[in-house]
Each structure stands twice: as structure tokens, then as C-alpha cells.
Amino acid sequence: MINRDTQLCMSLAGRPGNFGTRFHNYLYEKLGLNFIYKAFTTQDIEAAVKGVRALGIRGCAVSMPFKESCMAFLDAIDPSANAIDSVNTIVNDDGKLTGFNTDYIAVQSLIASHQLEKSARVMIRGSGGMGKAVIAAFRDAGFHDVIIAARNEANGRALASQYGFRWQPQPEADDIDILVNVTPVGMAGGQESGALAYSEAMVTRASVVFDVVALPPDTPVIQLAQRLGKKTISGAEVIALQAVEQFVMYTGVRPDEALIAEAAAFARAG
């Protein structure tokens, strides 16, 4: 039952989706927590962030295009967000707003849990906000041989210089061990929903394919990699892990793995 003690958590996105709303509310109900989660969009990010503080909203997920613009209105920035100058989570502690980046935390966790070899040669395709989180996570996990493939030369060169990697305009190479896609290629509903983020030849030679696209979780390049017997890491893992970290920050409760899997499956079904 919603009452005066119910704590509100929310999200801010240019194009709000259902995953976070369904994921968080499912866990609140299963764990008997007096919280509710609602997705919003805004034309005034400063006013929206001030509203989080003024109304005592416990937590706020932040998606594009607000991940960088919201930072000026926060009181503190966690190292996870400082590492990439991008916030995807705001936590309100009695009026003090702190920005975190759970995308970065999730990718670091996946690198560790899948035991990716630090000596591997990596290609990361994309240079947007999520690209920055992935690039920083690989750098901070100890990877040194990394190529950033990005059509936007200015962004690609800048990121390569910032993190000590190399840039090239197209995702082409003969000897890449770990292929990572952080572009919309393969995303459901997009112009390139049926396209491969990497060529079949590159996937054949790789050992790991990691696609951060969450919808669908089995993108064309993930399907190809699975057919070829490669290790795969999907965007469904990323989105669930980053949402769990947000949930813990907001509630102080960490669900067990079985319940997290239930919540993620429920969220994807919507």
C-alpha cells in the first residue's frame, strides 16, 4: 500500500523505457519494501534535479541526454562517475545529491566475473556516453592493448588520447581477441537492427564478443558468436547489473541472484 512514508525513486530520460520501472517495482513488491519507482522525461534538467532534492526523492536514474548535463547541479560526484565525467545514478541523502555511474561499475564487474584476460587485444566500437563507461572500465581493469573504433573522429581521438588507447574510424582488424559493441547497431527498432556490429570474419577470429545493446539481448552479433561457440556477454547482463547497483544504493538491500534473475526476466518481458 502506498502511504505517506512511501519513498519515491525515479528515472530521467529523453525517451523513457519500461525496464527500470518494472525491475525496481518487482523487487520492491517481492521484498516488501515501501518504495515506488516511476519513469519521467523533462525539458529542464536543472529544475528536475532540484526537484529530486526538494521533494526528498530517494534516487534517480539518469539516461541520455542528461548524463553529463545533470552533473553541474549535484553536490558530490563519486569516483565511478568522475572516471568518465558521466552520471547515470543520483542518490539523495537528506538533501545531499551524489552522482554515481553504475554502467561503469557493471562493466567492471562483468570483466571480472567473466575472467577476461588483461593481455587480450580489445576493440571497442563506439564513442558515446556508454562507450566512455566501457572504455574507462577496461582501462581501470588493467587492459592496455585497446583500439577504439569510432566514425566520429573528434570523439574517438579524444577518448583514445584520454585513456591511452588507439583510435581508428572503422571496426576492422585481423587479430582482436575481445570485440565490444557500444553502438546502436543491432538494437531493436533501430535503423541497423538486423546488422552485425562486427564482421563474421572478425567474430570468427575473436574469443569473446561483448554487446552492451540490451534489447534484444541476443543481437545479431551475439547470435553469430554463439553459433561459432564464442564466449558472449550481453547487454541484458549489463542493464540488470547496473540496475541492481542502483537498487542497493537506494534501499540498502541486495537481492539474491535468483531474485535478480526473476526481476530482470520480468522487466525484459515488458
Side-chain angles (χ1 to χ4, degrees), residues 201-235:
M202 289 190 70
V203 175
T204 299
R205 290 190 292 267
S207 56
V208 180
V209 175
F210 182 176
D211 195 341
V212 303
V213 171
L215 293 173
D218 55 343
T219 60
V221 76
I222 290 289
Q223 291 183 47
L224 173 62
Q226 289 173 341
R227 288 198 300 271
L228 293 172
K230 309 296 181 178
K231 178 192 284 286
T232 60
I233 307 171
S234 75

Short mmCIF file of all heavy atoms in Angstrom, two decimals, residues 201-235:
data_model
loop_
_atom_site.label_atom_id
_atom_site.label_comp_id
_atom_site.label_asym_id
_atom_site.label_seq_id
_atom_site.Cartn_x
_atom_site.Cartn_y
_atom_site.Cartn_z
N ALA A 201 34.02 -12.41 -40.20
CA ALA A 201 35.45 -12.78 -40.14
C ALA A 201 36.07 -12.37 -38.81
O ALA A 201 36.84 -13.15 -38.21
CB ALA A 201 36.20 -12.11 -41.30
N MET A 202 35.74 -11.18 -38.30
CA MET A 202 36.30 -10.74 -37.03
C MET A 202 35.76 -11.58 -35.87
O MET A 202 36.50 -11.94 -34.95
CB MET A 202 35.98 -9.25 -36.79
CG MET A 202 36.75 -8.31 -37.69
SD MET A 202 36.58 -6.57 -37.20
CE MET A 202 37.53 -6.55 -35.67
N VAL A 203 34.46 -11.90 -35.91
CA VAL A 203 33.87 -12.72 -34.86
C VAL A 203 34.50 -14.12 -34.87
O VAL A 203 34.78 -14.69 -33.81
CB VAL A 203 32.34 -12.81 -35.02
CG1 VAL A 203 31.74 -13.77 -34.00
CG2 VAL A 203 31.71 -11.42 -34.88
N THR A 204 34.75 -14.66 -36.04
CA THR A 204 35.36 -15.99 -36.16
C THR A 204 36.73 -16.03 -35.50
O THR A 204 37.09 -17.01 -34.84
CB THR A 204 35.49 -16.37 -37.65
OG1 THR A 204 34.18 -16.41 -38.22
CG2 THR A 204 36.16 -17.74 -37.80
N ARG A 205 37.50 -14.95 -35.64
CA ARG A 205 38.85 -14.93 -35.07
C ARG A 205 38.89 -14.53 -33.60
O ARG A 205 39.89 -14.74 -32.92
CB ARG A 205 39.73 -13.98 -35.89
CG ARG A 205 40.05 -14.50 -37.29
CD ARG A 205 41.10 -13.65 -37.97
NE ARG A 205 40.59 -12.32 -38.29
CZ ARG A 205 40.04 -11.97 -39.45
NH1 ARG A 205 39.93 -12.89 -40.41
NH2 ARG A 205 39.63 -10.75 -39.68
N ALA A 206 37.81 -13.93 -33.09
CA ALA A 206 37.78 -13.47 -31.70
C ALA A 206 37.49 -14.62 -30.74
O ALA A 206 37.04 -15.70 -31.15
CB ALA A 206 36.72 -12.39 -31.54
N SER A 207 37.74 -14.38 -29.46
CA SER A 207 37.40 -15.37 -28.43
C SER A 207 36.20 -14.93 -27.60
O SER A 207 35.49 -15.77 -27.05
CB SER A 207 38.60 -15.61 -27.51
OG SER A 207 39.04 -14.40 -26.93
N VAL A 208 35.95 -13.61 -27.51
CA VAL A 208 34.86 -13.07 -26.71
C VAL A 208 34.14 -11.98 -27.50
O VAL A 208 34.80 -11.14 -28.12
CB VAL A 208 35.37 -12.47 -25.37
CG1 VAL A 208 34.21 -11.92 -24.55
CG2 VAL A 208 36.15 -13.50 -24.58
N VAL A 209 32.81 -11.99 -27.46
CA VAL A 209 32.01 -10.92 -28.05
C VAL A 209 31.11 -10.35 -26.97
O VAL A 209 30.35 -11.08 -26.32
CB VAL A 209 31.16 -11.41 -29.23
CG1 VAL A 209 30.24 -10.30 -29.75
CG2 VAL A 209 32.06 -11.91 -30.36
N PHE A 210 31.21 -9.04 -26.75
CA PHE A 210 30.50 -8.33 -25.68
C PHE A 210 29.69 -7.23 -26.34
O PHE A 210 30.25 -6.32 -26.95
CB PHE A 210 31.56 -7.77 -24.73
CG PHE A 210 31.04 -7.04 -23.51
CD1 PHE A 210 31.95 -6.57 -22.57
CD2 PHE A 210 29.70 -6.81 -23.29
CE1 PHE A 210 31.52 -5.89 -21.44
CE2 PHE A 210 29.25 -6.14 -22.17
CZ PHE A 210 30.17 -5.68 -21.23
N ASP A 211 28.36 -7.32 -26.27
CA ASP A 211 27.48 -6.31 -26.87
C ASP A 211 26.65 -5.68 -25.77
O ASP A 211 25.89 -6.36 -25.09
CB ASP A 211 26.57 -6.97 -27.91
CG ASP A 211 25.89 -5.96 -28.82
OD1 ASP A 211 25.83 -4.77 -28.45
OD2 ASP A 211 25.41 -6.35 -29.90
N VAL A 212 26.76 -4.36 -25.58
CA VAL A 212 26.02 -3.70 -24.50
C VAL A 212 24.58 -3.41 -24.88
O VAL A 212 23.79 -2.98 -24.03
CB VAL A 212 26.71 -2.39 -24.03
CG1 VAL A 212 28.13 -2.65 -23.58
CG2 VAL A 212 26.66 -1.33 -25.11
N VAL A 213 24.20 -3.62 -26.14
CA VAL A 213 22.79 -3.46 -26.54
C VAL A 213 21.95 -4.45 -25.74
O VAL A 213 22.20 -5.66 -25.76
CB VAL A 213 22.61 -3.69 -28.05
CG1 VAL A 213 21.13 -3.73 -28.41
CG2 VAL A 213 23.32 -2.60 -28.84
N ALA A 214 20.93 -3.94 -25.05
CA ALA A 214 20.13 -4.78 -24.16
C ALA A 214 18.86 -5.31 -24.81
O ALA A 214 18.31 -6.31 -24.37
CB ALA A 214 19.77 -4.01 -22.89
N LEU A 215 18.35 -4.61 -25.82
CA LEU A 215 17.12 -5.03 -26.48
C LEU A 215 17.36 -5.13 -27.98
O LEU A 215 17.55 -4.11 -28.64
CB LEU A 215 15.99 -4.01 -26.19
CG LEU A 215 15.52 -3.94 -24.73
CD1 LEU A 215 14.55 -2.79 -24.55
CD2 LEU A 215 14.89 -5.25 -24.30
N PRO A 216 17.39 -6.35 -28.52
CA PRO A 216 17.21 -7.61 -27.81
C PRO A 216 18.52 -8.05 -27.14
O PRO A 216 19.60 -7.59 -27.54
CB PRO A 216 16.84 -8.58 -28.92
CG PRO A 216 17.62 -8.07 -30.09
CD PRO A 216 17.59 -6.56 -29.96
N PRO A 217 18.46 -8.95 -26.17
CA PRO A 217 19.70 -9.43 -25.56
C PRO A 217 20.51 -10.30 -26.51
O PRO A 217 21.72 -10.40 -26.37
CB PRO A 217 19.21 -10.24 -24.34
CG PRO A 217 17.79 -10.58 -24.64
CD PRO A 217 17.27 -9.45 -25.47
N ASP A 218 19.83 -10.92 -27.48
CA ASP A 218 20.52 -11.74 -28.49
C ASP A 218 20.59 -10.98 -29.81
O ASP A 218 19.89 -11.28 -30.77
CB ASP A 218 19.82 -13.09 -28.67
CG ASP A 218 18.35 -12.96 -28.99
OD1 ASP A 218 17.77 -11.86 -28.77
OD2 ASP A 218 17.75 -13.94 -29.49
N THR A 219 21.42 -9.95 -29.85
CA THR A 219 21.61 -9.16 -31.06
C THR A 219 22.21 -10.04 -32.16
O THR A 219 22.71 -11.14 -31.88
CB THR A 219 22.55 -7.98 -30.79
OG1 THR A 219 23.81 -8.51 -30.35
CG2 THR A 219 21.99 -7.04 -29.73
N PRO A 220 22.17 -9.58 -33.42
CA PRO A 220 22.76 -10.39 -34.49
C PRO A 220 24.20 -10.83 -34.23
O PRO A 220 24.56 -11.97 -34.51
CB PRO A 220 22.65 -9.47 -35.71
CG PRO A 220 21.41 -8.66 -35.43
CD PRO A 220 21.45 -8.41 -33.96
N VAL A 221 25.02 -9.94 -33.68
CA VAL A 221 26.42 -10.33 -33.46
C VAL A 221 26.55 -11.31 -32.30
O VAL A 221 27.42 -12.20 -32.32
CB VAL A 221 27.31 -9.07 -33.24
CG1 VAL A 221 27.14 -8.48 -31.84
CG2 VAL A 221 28.77 -9.40 -33.53
N ILE A 222 25.68 -11.22 -31.30
CA ILE A 222 25.68 -12.20 -30.21
C ILE A 222 25.21 -13.56 -30.73
O ILE A 222 25.80 -14.61 -30.40
CB ILE A 222 24.78 -11.73 -29.04
CG1 ILE A 222 25.42 -10.54 -28.32
CG2 ILE A 222 24.50 -12.88 -28.06
CD1 ILE A 222 26.65 -10.87 -27.50
N GLN A 223 24.19 -13.58 -31.56
CA GLN A 223 23.72 -14.84 -32.14
C GLN A 223 24.82 -15.50 -32.97
O GLN A 223 25.04 -16.72 -32.87
CB GLN A 223 22.49 -14.59 -33.01
CG GLN A 223 21.24 -14.18 -32.25
CD GLN A 223 20.05 -14.02 -33.19
OE1 GLN A 223 19.79 -14.87 -34.04
NE2 GLN A 223 19.32 -12.93 -33.04
N LEU A 224 25.51 -14.71 -33.77
CA LEU A 224 26.60 -15.24 -34.59
C LEU A 224 27.70 -15.82 -33.70
O LEU A 224 28.19 -16.94 -33.95
CB LEU A 224 27.16 -14.14 -35.48
CG LEU A 224 28.43 -14.50 -36.27
CD1 LEU A 224 28.17 -15.66 -37.23
CD2 LEU A 224 28.95 -13.27 -37.02
N ALA A 225 28.08 -15.08 -32.68
CA ALA A 225 29.14 -15.54 -31.78
C ALA A 225 28.75 -16.84 -31.09
O ALA A 225 29.58 -17.76 -30.93
CB ALA A 225 29.46 -14.46 -30.75
N GLN A 226 27.50 -16.96 -30.69
CA GLN A 226 27.05 -18.18 -30.04
C GLN A 226 27.08 -19.36 -31.00
O GLN A 226 27.46 -20.47 -30.63
CB GLN A 226 25.66 -17.97 -29.46
CG GLN A 226 25.64 -17.05 -28.24
CD GLN A 226 24.25 -16.69 -27.76
OE1 GLN A 226 23.27 -16.83 -28.50
NE2 GLN A 226 24.15 -16.22 -26.53
N ARG A 227 26.68 -19.13 -32.24
CA ARG A 227 26.73 -20.21 -33.24
C ARG A 227 28.17 -20.68 -33.47
O ARG A 227 28.40 -21.86 -33.75
CB ARG A 227 26.12 -19.74 -34.56
CG ARG A 227 24.62 -19.58 -34.55
CD ARG A 227 24.05 -19.55 -35.97
NE ARG A 227 24.59 -18.46 -36.76
CZ ARG A 227 24.06 -17.24 -36.83
NH1 ARG A 227 22.96 -16.95 -36.11
NH2 ARG A 227 24.59 -16.31 -37.61
N LEU A 228 29.10 -19.76 -33.34
CA LEU A 228 30.51 -20.09 -33.56
C LEU A 228 31.20 -20.59 -32.29
O LEU A 228 32.41 -20.85 -32.29
CB LEU A 228 31.26 -18.86 -34.10
CG LEU A 228 30.84 -18.41 -35.51
CD1 LEU A 228 31.50 -17.08 -35.86
CD2 LEU A 228 31.20 -19.47 -36.54
N GLY A 229 30.45 -20.69 -31.20
CA GLY A 229 31.00 -21.23 -29.95
C GLY A 229 31.87 -20.27 -29.17
O GLY A 229 32.70 -20.70 -28.35
N LYS A 230 31.66 -18.97 -29.37
CA LYS A 230 32.46 -17.96 -28.65
C LYS A 230 31.82 -17.64 -27.30
O LYS A 230 30.61 -17.78 -27.12
CB LYS A 230 32.56 -16.68 -29.48
CG LYS A 230 33.01 -16.89 -30.91
CD LYS A 230 34.42 -17.45 -30.99
CE LYS A 230 34.86 -17.63 -32.44
NZ LYS A 230 36.25 -18.13 -32.54
N LYS A 231 32.63 -17.17 -26.36
CA LYS A 231 32.09 -16.62 -25.11
C LYS A 231 31.37 -15.33 -25.42
O LYS A 231 31.90 -14.49 -26.17
CB LYS A 231 33.21 -16.35 -24.10
CG LYS A 231 32.71 -15.74 -22.79
CD LYS A 231 33.86 -15.21 -21.95
CE LYS A 231 34.61 -16.34 -21.26
NZ LYS A 231 33.83 -16.90 -20.12
N THR A 232 30.16 -15.14 -24.89
CA THR A 232 29.41 -13.90 -25.13
C THR A 232 29.00 -13.24 -23.82
O THR A 232 28.75 -13.92 -22.82
CB THR A 232 28.15 -14.17 -25.98
OG1 THR A 232 27.30 -15.10 -25.29
CG2 THR A 232 28.50 -14.73 -27.34
N ILE A 233 28.94 -11.92 -23.87
CA ILE A 233 28.43 -11.12 -22.75
C ILE A 233 27.40 -10.18 -23.36
O ILE A 233 27.71 -9.45 -24.31
CB ILE A 233 29.55 -10.31 -22.07
CG1 ILE A 233 30.71 -11.23 -21.65
CG2 ILE A 233 29.00 -9.55 -20.86
CD1 ILE A 233 31.94 -10.47 -21.17
N SER A 234 26.19 -10.21 -22.83
CA SER A 234 25.10 -9.45 -23.46
C SER A 234 24.77 -8.17 -22.70
O SER A 234 25.07 -8.03 -21.51
CB SER A 234 23.85 -10.31 -23.56
OG SER A 234 23.23 -10.43 -22.29
N GLY A 235 24.08 -7.29 -23.41
CA GLY A 235 23.60 -6.06 -22.79
C GLY A 235 22.59 -6.32 -21.70
O GLY A 235 22.42 -5.50 -20.79
#
